[in-house]
Amino acid sequence: MFTVLSLLLLTAAHSATARIHSMRYFTTASSQVPNFPELVVVGLVDEVQIDYYDSNTKKLEPKQDWMLKETDSLYWKRQTQIALRSQEVYKHNIETAKKRFNQTGGLHIVQWMQGCEWDDETGEVNGYDQYGYNGEDFISWDMETETWIAPTPQSVITKLKWDQDKALLAYIKNYLLQECPSFLKKILEHGRSSLLRTELPRISLLQKSPSSPVTCLATGFYPDSAMLFWRKDGEDLHEDVYRGEVLPNHDGTFQMSAELKVSSISPEDWRRYECVFQISGVKEDIVTKLDEDSVESNRAKPISVTTIIIIIIAAVVALAGVSAVIGFIVYRWKKAQSTSPAGTDPVVLEPLRPGDGGSNSPSETSS
């Protein structure tokens, strides 16, 4: 399912020796949603929000003080004008999409995610550009073939037209591989103190009962390009191990856990096991030996699994922010949707392309 919430919580697999930086913009246009802006734009760099626009305030604003160092007042005025133009286009997008899917009334949503990634070690650049309609994939850009992918019959019309627009294809390729990475590097430089920092975690070994797995919990680290795993006698373990996902903390740092099944391990063999934490930018591993004295359990200290779950849920809620509201809208639409055989009217999806200066003005992609 294509939702802003799922995209924001999606964590890519990073190497612990290289740092991959990203810039992503999420645009959500909606209709007939009470007390919610018709258009919302959120910009993220390395999962940190850098700016925000909605159709109620009609103004693109920075969310980090160091973003003001990157640009002048004219930049924010230009980008606000782009957003204002896009607001009208997205209204038309929703109406034509309703015709394409033969729908009337109710809640309807068009979502767009565009951005790029840059590996600061290899210099490799990757980009993505994809659209969703009512919580489902609609059309996406294929970087390898430089064409559009249409997952539904209703989006084939858009694919055929956009694939024939050579100016649009060239613009998207240049933006994703040149303009976006260039702007990303500038933002990273000005936001160096927060975006390029490295914070090491606190490591804890937790166990609910003697028969329960031992959980190695690493929390408070930054960035999120980290790995946590178990070893035995210096060899990585793949059996009897469960690795959790990287999750956000309320203070902008991250946490993750890895469980080891110990019911079949004799007490004298515990010291042969160790929990290993690796993070980009730090050569030395953080190693925690599995020792009975170092494991915190309910018997020694009242540390409950419920408490850990509450902490994780609170962290996810804190990160979701705007996207949680968007997720709710998708839910509302799911309940109210009314879908019939597809129509043939085209969808107009004009990109809003925040970037550096006037060169990033949105191209005309009317179908």
Side-chain angles (χ1 to χ4, degrees):
M1 177 183 292
F2 182 103
T3 67
V4 171
L5 180 58
S6 62
L7 285 168
L8 282 174
L9 299 182
L10 178 63
T11 303
H14 295 307
S15 165
T17 59
R19 190 158 176 179
I20 299 178
H21 302 281
S22 66
M23 180 169 73
R24 295 184 286 176
Y25 272 88
F26 298 87
T27 302
T28 299
S30 59
S31 67
Q32 298 188 26
V33 181
N35 304 316
F36 191 81
E38 292 183 339
L39 184 70
V40 173
V41 182
V42 179
L44 302 175
V45 168
D46 286 357
E47 309 306 325
V48 175
Q49 186 176 351
I50 60 172
D51 53 21
Y52 174 85
Y53 171 91
D54 69 49
S55 53
N56 289 344
T57 63
K58 292 183 170 57
K59 184 178 181 181
L60 183 71
E61 298 178 333
K63 287 298 181 179
Q64 305 294 332
D65 292 340
W66 40 263
M67 277 296 291
L68 295 173
K69 299 179 182 178
E70 164 58 26
T71 55
D72 54 26
S73 59
L74 291 178
Y75 168 85
W76 299 101
K77 291 180 180 179
R78 285 193 298 266
Q79 299 307 308
T80 295
Q81 290 303 311
I82 293 175
L84 287 171
R85 292 200 302 270
S86 296
Q87 183 174 329
E88 295 304 315
V89 172
Y90 275 101
K91 285 183 180 180
H92 182 65
N93 290 346
I94 292 176
E95 291 304 314
T96 53
K98 286 162 59 178
K99 294 178 181 178
R100 181 79 65 84
F101 286 85
N102 196 22
Q103 298 167 332
T104 58
L107 298 175
H108 297 284
I109 301 171
V110 169
Q111 293 172 281
W112 173 55
M113 187 274 285
Q114 184 192 60
C116 59
E117 292 181 344
W118 169 61
D119 189 320
D120 64 7
E121 183 178 66
T122 66
E124 182 180 356
V125 172
N126 189 28
Y128 27 80
D129 196 331
Q130 58 191 93
Y131 295 82
Y133 176 64
N134 284 344
E136 303 293 341
D137 292 336
F138 182 80
I139 194 168
S140 62
W141 170 259
D142 188 331
M143 184 64 73
E144 293 186 3
T145 63
E146 298 181 12
T147 59
W148 293 92
I149 299 174
T152 67
Q154 292 84 359
S155 57
V156 171
I157 298 174
T158 303
K159 167 184 166 57
L160 294 176
K161 182 169 182 62
W162 286 7
D163 280 349
Q164 295 301 313
D165 192 337
K166 302 305 180 183
L168 174 63
L169 297 179
Y171 175 81
I172 292 175
K173 180 179 179 180
N174 180 71
Y175 177 79
L176 296 180
L177 298 183
Q178 301 296 329
E179 290 187 32
C180 181
S182 176
F183 193 54
L184 169 59
K185 294 173 186 178
K186 290 181 180 180
I187 293 178
L188 289 171
E189 182 62 31
H190 286 289
R192 173 178 293 274
S193 60
S194 59
L195 294 175
L196 298 182
R197 74 186 192 274
T198 299
E199 296 185 19
L200 299 180
R202 300 181 300 278
I203 306 291
S204 301
L205 299 181
L206 310 172
Q207 187 181 34
K208 182 179 179 181
S209 68
S211 61
S212 301
V214 172
T215 298
C216 181
L217 176 66
T219 185
F221 62 86
Y222 189 93
D224 65 343
S225 50
M227 296 181 66
L228 186 70
F229 54 94
W230 284 95
R231 289 195 306 217
K232 177 185 178 182
D233 298 333
E235 297 292 331
D236 293 0
L237 287 176
H238 301 286
E239 296 183 358
D240 295 329
V241 171
Y242 172 76
R243 298 182 184 180
E245 296 181 348
V246 177
L247 298 173
N249 289 323
H250 69 280
D251 59 357
T253 62
F254 298 91
Q255 64 171 280
M256 66 189 308
S257 63
E259 293 183 354
L260 173 66
K261 185 179 179 181
V262 296
S263 57
S264 59
I265 302 175
S266 60
E268 57 269 22
D269 286 338
W270 274 36
R271 293 286 296 176
R272 300 172 61 186
Y273 295 81
E274 56 191 16
C275 178
V276 182
F277 177 85
Q278 298 175 341
I279 190 168
S280 62
V282 178
K283 294 183 179 180
E284 295 185 3
D285 298 343
I286 298 179
V287 179
T288 305
K289 286 285 186 179
L290 178 59
D291 186 286
E292 191 172 359
D293 294 334
S294 62
V295 176
E296 301 180 53
S297 68
N298 283 344
R299 293 172 299 165
K301 296 180 181 181
I303 299 176
S304 67
V305 174
T306 302
T307 300
I308 297 174
I309 294 175
I310 292 175
I311 293 173
I312 293 174
I313 293 175
V316 172
V317 172
L319 173 72
V322 174
S323 60
V325 179
I326 295 169
F328 171 73
I329 298 173
V330 174
Y331 166 76
R332 288 275 304 278
W333 171 82
K334 293 286 188 181
K335 294 185 64 177
Q337 66 175 341
S338 175
T339 306
S340 301
T344 58
D345 289 339
V347 174
V348 181
L349 294 171
E350 178 186 20
L352 168 64
R353 307 186 186 279
D356 189 10
S359 62
N360 63 321
S361 298
S363 58
E364 297 297 330
T365 60
S366 298
S367 299

